Amino acid sequence: MDIQHEDNGTKGRFFVAENGKTLAEMTYTWAGTDRIIIDHTEVSDVLRGKNVGKQLVMGAVNMARDKKISIIPLCPFANSVFKKTPDIQDVL
């Protein structure tokens, strides 16, 4: 599964698309230059149960580590992933 990433400098998203249709998406907003706020995660029924939501969150975690920024997980799903996964809490 190919996780794609778009960022316009103000907002961004990690997503899975197929045939031009978005099947899963996690959106974020930049809060200054050193922090993003994850505000929404949505996965279509077609992909449910395949760990796609967590993969989207991990895309943000990897980006945060690369850019040395932090994440505020306001989205309830993203927040639950952080609570269940201690080894990614370094980016909080």
Side-chain angles (χ1 to χ4, degrees):
M1 183 160 324
D2 184 30
I3 304 290
Q4 299 177 62
H5 180 222
E6 295 177 344
D7 189 311
N8 69 12
T10 305
K11 293 181 178 275
R13 69 184 186 139
F14 287 88
F15 65 101
V16 174
E18 192 174 282
N19 299 323
K21 182 179 178 187
T22 300
L23 299 177
E25 177 179 57
M26 186 211 68
T27 60
Y28 63 87
T29 303
W30 281 94
T33 58
D34 63 347
R35 185 173 299 137
I36 62 169
I37 300 168
I38 297 175
D39 48 30
H40 182 71
T41 305
E42 187 171 346
V43 177
S44 74
D45 290 338
V46 174
L47 296 177
R48 289 206 194 272
K50 297 185 178 181
N51 233 8
V52 175
K54 184 174 181 180
Q55 291 177 49
L56 297 173
V57 172
M58 292 306 296
V61 168
N62 292 332
M63 180 187 80
R65 287 176 175 159
D66 289 345
K67 295 182 179 286
K68 297 183 178 19
I69 62 171
S70 61
I71 295 175
I72 300 170
L74 288 185
C75 163
F77 174 79
N79 192 27
S80 73
V81 171
F82 277 95
K83 285 181 178 176
K84 294 175 188 174
T85 317
D87 62 330
I88 64 171
Q89 293 179 4
D90 59 301
V91 298
L92 293 177

